[in-house]
Amino acid sequence: MVKNSFIPIISQEKKKEENPGSVEFQVFNFTNKIRRLTSHLELHRKDYLSQRGLRKILGKRQRLLSYLSKRNGIRYKKLINQLDIRESQIR
């Protein structure tokens, strides 16, 4: 597991948006954590505490994406396409 593996989009967007409280920035950070935890769980399948943490982060990201889709659909679509994640089935 590489500790400093970042999504290239985050570094680009971080320079543009210096607002760590924005929904997009939070979703970027959660996506980065999700990808790191997923790679960790591929090696350590029985790490149940990390599985729980992953589920919690997934829920937080899903709530943020739901909020963003209700408030601004254009920003939501743009973010989904940039991060290459699936669109939510439940809104």
Side-chain angles (χ1 to χ4, degrees), residues 28-55:
F28 284 143
N29 283 337
F30 285 143
T31 303
N32 189 28
K33 287 181 184 180
I34 288 167
R35 290 184 177 161
R36 279 191 288 141
L37 274 174
T38 303
S39 68
H40 168 77
L41 288 172
E42 287 174 357
L43 296 173
H44 308 284
R45 295 187 189 279
K46 293 191 176 187
D47 189 354
Y48 299 116
L49 290 176
S50 292
Q51 288 178 10
R52 181 174 184 261
L54 177 63
R55 284 193 297 269

Side-chain angles (χ1 to χ4, degrees), residues 7-24:
I7 301 170
I9 298 170
I10 291 177
S11 59
Q12 293 170 0
E13 291 294 323
K14 197 182 237 187
K15 293 174 187 171
K16 292 179 188 173
E17 281 184 29
E18 289 296 323
N19 186 3
S22 71
V23 176
E24 289 91 350

